[in-house]
Amino acid sequence: QVQLVESGGGLVQPGGSLRLSCAASGSIFSINAMGWYRQAPGKQRQLVARISSGGRTNYADSVKGRFTISRDNAKNTVYLQMNSLKPEDTAVYYCSANIRNLGLRWDDYWGQGTQVTVSS
């Protein structure tokens, strides 16, 4: 089995920063793209940032210049550094990864989600 475990969410004031982490573990052969999504109450889940296995990144327009996605392939971990946070960034953040398991099958896996609340 493959698991994604997120950490780093919490309550922060507007203008503050948070760093999210997501570690993949289990029966992993290789990992392709990894990404972060978020879902605010009453809204659809949307892509925040994505990083390929080679390090190429793309971001939602709403977070460009404020958020940075990175990954440590040796640790099977993806990070999301969030700066200049705004109340509209409040959401549950989910990590996702496209993983090839030991049975050589590709699947998309999701973490359990971590709450980020931006409020004064």
Side-chain angles (χ1 to χ4, degrees):
Q1 289 189 354
V2 174
Q3 292 181 327
L4 300 183
V5 178
E6 299 132 338
S7 61
L11 173 64
V12 64
Q13 292 186 342
S17 298
L18 281 176
R19 189 191 194 210
L20 305 182
S21 300
C22 173
S25 63
S27 305
I28 297 171
F29 183 80
S30 62
I31 301 178
N32 193 4
M34 305 181 83
W36 289 95
Y37 293 73
R38 68 186 181 188
Q39 188 168 19
K43 295 187 177 181
Q44 290 187 333
R45 190 175 299 188
Q46 59 177 196
L47 175 69
V48 175
R50 185 177 180 272
I51 184 167
S52 71
S53 57
R56 185 171 58 190
T57 60
N58 61 287
Y59 297 90
D61 287 343
S62 59
V63 306
K64 283 181 180 177
R66 301 188 297 122
F67 291 11
T68 302
I69 189 171
S70 61
R71 63 191 286 174
D72 184 333
N73 291 330
K75 296 181 179 179
N76 290 338
T77 298
V78 62
Y79 306 96
L80 186 67
Q81 178 66 43
M82 305 185 292
N83 299 328
S84 303
L85 282 160
K86 304 175 181 180
E88 51 263 44
D89 294 318
T90 296
V92 178
Y93 284 70
Y94 299 89
C95 76
S96 179
N98 183 236
I99 296 175
R100 195 176 193 183
N101 61 27
L102 295 181
L104 303 184
R105 170 177 169 169
W106 288 100
D107 274 310
D108 290 326
Y109 294 87
W110 292 85
Q112 80 284 359
T114 185
Q115 176 70 46
V116 171
T117 302
V118 185
S119 175
S120 54

